[in-house]
Amino acid sequence: MKKSIPLNAYLWLLMATVLLSCQKEEPHTPTMPSQTTKAADNAQGVLGKKLDIPYTVGNMQRALKEVMTAFKHQLPQSKLAKVGKTVEIQPSHYYYRFLPKDSSEYERLAMDTVLLTSNAPLDYEIATDGDYFDDESTEEDNSFGYQYTVFPSDYGFPQDIAHQKLNDLYFAPEEETGTMEKGEMAVQQPQSKTSKALAKLDENGELFEFLELEALKLTNNLEEDELEILRFFLPNDPSGRHYTHTEALALGHSLPQLCIDYAHLMAQQQKEDTDNAARWWKRKKWNPHGRITVREDAIGRNVGVVGAEVRVRKWGLVVIKRVRTNAKGEFRTSSTKTKRVKYAVYFNSKSRKFVVKAGTIFWDARHRGTRTYKEQGWYQHFSYGRAKFYALVHNAAYDFYNRAVGKFGLHHPNQSWLRINAQYTKESGDHLDLNPGGKYSLVPHSEIRVGRMDNDKPMASDEIYALVTHEMTHASHYRMDRTFFINIRGAGCTLQTMAESWATGAETIVTNDRYLGLSSGYKATGSIGTKSPLNLFNSEKQNKEIEHGSKYEYTPIVIDLVDNFNQRKEFKNSKYPIDRVQNYTLEQIQTSLNHARGPHSWKERLKSQHYNSTEAYVDELFSVYMYDNCN
């Protein structure tokens, strides 16, 4: 039987765990919910006008009545005209908002793959996208804000979290496609009695099209090109003459007052060689698709945002498709008959390995397209701003999990939603894991923080990648050997130097390998020379004089164990370290670091566990960086 650790002792043990601060970061204390409102690092989004939702139950009921009446008068021989009793529209979905009171409730909502919440109201246009949207109706100390969602009416939502129903909605059913596209994720569809009842009234499989068309008319949501094709009857006009929208408008009538001439619409469909413009109203199948890319300024090219989640919302409301981007940033979903959609990309990974946070633990990083697309793909490129930063952080984390770990034999970091706080206006880089079980943190705190700034200047894309890799290496080291990190600072600078030197070495080798793979002519940001390795990332490490007793933590010892560049020989200067060791691998160095509690044990394990033709010089190299340097 396992012994349980008392809660107070357990919390003490957690708080004794070291915060590994890198890249000029100030001391950091985990933020509790009552201390935080809106973080200065976040951008506030701006809402546009409130939308008149076409798909409310009341509006869809009225639309059905209008369609049935129109067919009785205009097309009396049709099946719809002979229906004696109308169908009562019941909700297929509900529109709710939740107000989580703490991080536990927030994470329950965020992890719910049916609710798929948004922190922006879904019935408003987005004038300017942002990390959060302020709501004056929430309490001052509530950091999370309202979380909005449209979900199936038969879903058992978490009723213990404060919630409010905003509307009852009815959507035409999504057709079962049988096979999802590569990277696509299932979206729960409700079992709607209303949809089955409406299908029985349908003569040509077009009733759902008529309902949506009528609903868009009643809420004044038809677009100009659609209005040009339709013909309308005026209200209370016995003449039987139909009018264009422009003519009806000139006579003083608004769109919701007009009656659609369905006989004219059906006649247009039946004409031989009907052009596509005349059939715009019909719900034909199409596949939401597109590509998400980001600018890699370090190499002057655009690359795909890989493995990110794209959500497709019907009219910006209910998520009808979810899919992940491929290596090129491309995505494609199974088919839908929904004409109008909005897209959004969320920077998280498959199987919830990691999620990028928007400058705080309280909001997930994402980018929403602000316009509606009518049977069109979404081609989104990030060349500046917060979304570019989030995309670069996402790509770096994805690459660590899916390439670096396998290629270099590195240990996996936490694989249950490791939270990476991407801070756009800050200089930061640290790792603090208060998530011992790998699932839920005991306090609302991101395991990793990374900032975009360095000495008040924005970092280049390879610098951002390297910083993320550095902190991911700490996260990997922690999951491999957690007790190494207990009160690491109290043990003197030796363990801290070991940890930071290991992360610096992995950062250097993984970063250069990645960018040389992207561009053979890669010249790193901040490099000091024109030939390898002085043209590569962290080349300044090779040009550093090591002063004894300096307590410099970010040593190049791991780089020197791997490379074949002898600083003293190449620079012809006795002030530089002598490096006659080469060809160790990151996996070998990591194996020897595991369970080492000082530089001596790390060094001796390197020599005893692995054969290397230059191992006779390992003592010499360690004496430069570890012993005299760190007492």
Side-chain angles (χ1 to χ4, degrees):
M1 179 177 178
K2 293 183 179 179
K3 294 182 179 179
S4 61
I5 302 176
L7 180 59
N8 58 349
Y10 190 51
L11 290 174
W12 180 91
L13 182 66
L14 286 173
M15 294 312 295
T17 302
V18 66
L19 167 67
L20 282 174
S21 296
C22 311
Q23 312 297 330
K24 299 175 64 176
E25 176 57 83
E26 70 279 0
H28 176 59
T29 301
T31 304
M32 303 304 290
S34 60
Q35 296 175 291
T36 305
T37 52
K38 299 295 185 287
D41 188 63
N42 305 114
Q44 180 176 348
V46 179
L47 296 177
K49 69 176 182 179
K50 194 176 191 305
L51 301 172
D52 193 353
I53 302 176
Y55 306 106
T56 64
V57 165
N59 196 61
M60 293 298 279
Q61 190 73 64
R62 183 183 170 191
L64 180 60
K65 181 180 179 181
E66 295 269 348
V67 171
M68 303 291 281
T69 301
F71 270 72
K72 279 181 169 60
H73 289 95
Q74 301 173 28
L75 297 163
Q77 301 306 313
S78 67
K79 183 179 178 181
L80 280 176
K82 298 175 182 178
V83 174
K85 185 179 180 180
T86 189
V87 172
E88 182 181 356
I89 302 290
Q90 298 293 328
S92 65
H93 292 76
Y94 297 129
Y95 179 24
Y96 268 75
R97 67 179 184 180
F98 292 85
L99 188 61
K101 68 177 183 293
D102 54 33
S103 61
S104 175
E105 289 190 351
Y106 173 80
E107 290 199 16
R108 283 171 58 199
L109 293 173
M111 294 175 70
D112 194 305
T113 57
V114 175
L115 294 180
L116 298 171
T117 56
S118 166
N119 67 347
L122 301 174
D123 54 344
Y124 279 81
E125 289 184 346
I126 303 297
T128 304
D129 195 19
D131 296 319
Y132 71 93
F133 293 81
D134 221 351
D135 193 324
E136 295 179 358
S137 64
T138 60
E139 295 182 6
E140 179 66 21
D141 64 350
N142 186 285
S143 302
F144 306 95
Y146 282 112
Q147 304 296 308
Y148 297 83
T149 175
V150 172
F151 58 87
S153 57
D154 57 358
Y155 181 61
F157 66 92
Q159 298 192 31
D160 59 316
I161 301 177
H163 57 274
Q164 177 187 6
K165 184 195 285 189
L166 301 177
N167 228 318
D168 294 330
L169 306 176
Y170 176 76
F171 295 104
E174 285 291 308
E175 291 189 354
E176 296 293 334
T177 57
T179 303
M180 293 190 295
E181 296 287 335
K182 188 174 182 180
E184 189 172 1
M185 296 165 277
V187 175
Q188 180 173 316
Q189 300 294 335
Q191 301 298 316
S192 173
K193 293 182 179 179
T194 298
S195 296
K196 294 177 181 178
L198 290 174
K200 291 181 180 179
L201 307 181
D202 198 352
E203 183 175 32
N204 298 310
E206 294 166 344
L207 178 56
F208 291 118
E209 280 87 336
F210 299 146
L211 274 178
E212 292 203 354
L213 175 61
E214 193 70 44
L216 292 169
K217 184 211 76 175
L218 290 172
T219 53
N220 205 22
N221 279 302
L222 288 171
E223 298 178 4
E224 287 299 324
D225 60 331
E226 300 166 343
L227 292 170
E228 288 178 4
I229 297 170
L230 286 172
R231 297 296 177 265
F232 301 93
F233 296 115
L234 302 182
N236 304 315
D237 180 6
S239 70
R241 176 188 170 188
H242 68 206
Y243 296 80
T244 66
H245 177 250
T246 302
E247 291 169 339
L249 203 63
L251 293 172
H253 298 281
S254 65
L255 179 61
Q257 295 176 317
L258 304 177
C259 301
I260 296 174
D261 185 345
Y262 282 99
H264 176 265
L265 195 65
M266 299 297 284
Q268 288 293 101
Q269 177 188 347
Q270 294 168 4
K271 282 182 179 179
E272 290 185 4
D273 300 323
T274 302
D275 61 21
N276 289 330
R279 294 174 57 83
W280 63 267
W281 58 274
K282 188 169 179 59
R283 297 198 321 153
K284 62 185 179 183
K285 290 183 180 181
W286 69 288
N287 300 80
H289 60 279
R291 189 182 183 202
I292 315 295
T293 55
V294 63
R295 183 67 174 175
E296 277 278 6
D297 45 76
I299 55 174
R301 57 177 283 197
N302 303 332
V303 301
V305 179
V306 56
E309 178 188 354
V310 177
R311 296 179 189 175
V312 184
R313 290 186 185 267
K314 180 185 180 75
W315 211 72
L317 293 167
V318 62
V319 176
I320 58 171
K321 303 290 180 183
R322 297 172 67 205
V323 65
R324 292 205 176 274
T325 56
N326 64 18
K328 296 180 180 180
E330 301 165 334
F331 66 91
R332 178 183 174 88
T333 77
S334 52
S335 63
T336 179
K337 285 189 174 182
T338 294
K339 292 193 199 70
R340 292 169 168 85
V341 300
K342 285 187 176 181
Y343 295 94
V345 57
Y346 287 73
F347 301 106
N348 60 57
S349 72
K350 183 180 179 181
S351 304
R352 302 177 180 178
K353 289 181 180 179
F354 72 86
V355 57
V356 180
K357 310 296 287 188
T360 171
I361 188 64
F362 304 116
W363 301 296
D364 292 346
R366 49 93 193 98
H367 176 81
R368 285 175 288 228
T370 55
R371 57 163 288 202
T372 300
Y373 292 81
K374 189 164 63 176
E375 297 178 348
Q376 293 176 311
W378 189 39
Y379 295 88
Q380 177 64 56
H381 176 61
F382 301 124
S383 59
Y384 64 92
R386 280 178 165 81
K388 176 190 176 184
F389 178 51
Y390 299 153
L392 290 172
V393 172
H394 172 95
N395 271 0
Y398 182 93
D399 193 63
F400 192 91
Y401 274 106
N402 294 278
R403 186 187 67 90
V405 164
K407 181 170 184 177
F408 296 100
L410 301 177
H411 195 278
H412 268 292
N414 174 14
Q415 296 191 73
S416 181
W417 258 8
L418 177 79
R419 291 162 296 186
I420 305 171
N421 188 352
Q423 299 185 311
Y424 186 72
T425 62
K426 303 288 180 62
E427 295 187 13
S428 62
D430 61 48
H431 165 253
L432 174 59
D433 198 330
L434 299 177
N435 188 357
K439 189 174 184 182
Y440 297 109
S441 177
L442 298 180
V443 296
H445 172 76
S446 294
E447 288 73 39
I448 287 175
R449 292 193 309 161
V450 292
R452 184 180 67 103
M453 307 300 290
D454 183 27
N455 291 323
D456 296 324
K457 294 181 180 180
M459 290 194 292
S461 59
D462 56 349
E463 294 174 314
I464 292 170
Y465 177 93
L467 177 57
V468 174
T469 301
H470 185 107
E471 301 308 331
M472 294 289 282
T473 303
H474 284 318
S476 164
H477 188 184
Y478 175 76
R479 288 290 155 177
M480 177 181 72
D481 186 6
R482 300 181 196 188
T483 57
F484 179 97
F485 292 84
I486 301 299
N487 200 21
I488 189 172
R489 290 192 185 277
C493 84
T494 52
L495 294 186
Q496 183 78 6
T497 299
M498 289 169 64
E500 294 297 358
S501 296
W502 163 239
T504 297
E507 157 201 332
T508 303
I509 292 161
V510 172
T511 298
N512 286 321
D513 182 77
R514 195 244 185 178
Y515 280 90
L516 285 170
L518 291 174
S519 172
S520 59
Y522 167 62
K523 186 178 186 297
T525 304
S527 58
I528 63 172
T530 59
K531 295 183 179 179
S532 180
L534 301 182
N535 62 339
L536 298 180
F537 190 79
N538 268 349
S539 58
E540 77 279 0
K541 299 289 184 185
Q542 307 288 358
N543 195 33
K544 188 173 184 63
E545 297 180 20
I546 302 298
E547 297 179 6
H548 295 306
S550 67
K551 295 188 177 182
Y552 177 65
E553 297 173 347
Y554 302 87
T555 79
I557 190 169
V558 172
I559 304 171
D560 287 345
L561 287 168
V562 174
D563 71 13
N564 61 358
F565 187 83
N566 187 337
Q567 293 96 304
R568 182 172 295 184
K569 178 181 177 182
E570 296 296 333
F571 291 122
K572 297 179 175 62
N573 190 330
S574 61
K575 293 182 179 181
Y576 288 98
I578 184 169
D579 171 20
R580 293 186 278 191
V581 185
Q582 60 185 17
N583 295 333
Y584 279 97
T585 67
L586 286 181
E587 184 173 14
Q588 290 173 332
I589 299 168
Q590 175 185 254
T591 299
S592 299
L593 178 65
N594 191 17
H595 300 305
R597 291 298 177 265
H600 180 76
S601 61
W602 188 15
K603 177 193 69 175
E604 293 303 315
R605 288 161 65 88
L606 266 173
K607 294 189 295 182
S608 64
Q609 291 177 335
H610 318 290
Y611 170 77
N612 186 285
S613 61
T614 63
E615 68 180 29
Y617 303 110
V618 169
D619 286 32
E620 177 183 68
L621 188 63
F622 266 73
S623 68
V624 173
Y625 294 120
M626 291 292 168
Y627 300 114
D628 294 335
N629 183 50
C630 194
N631 298 314

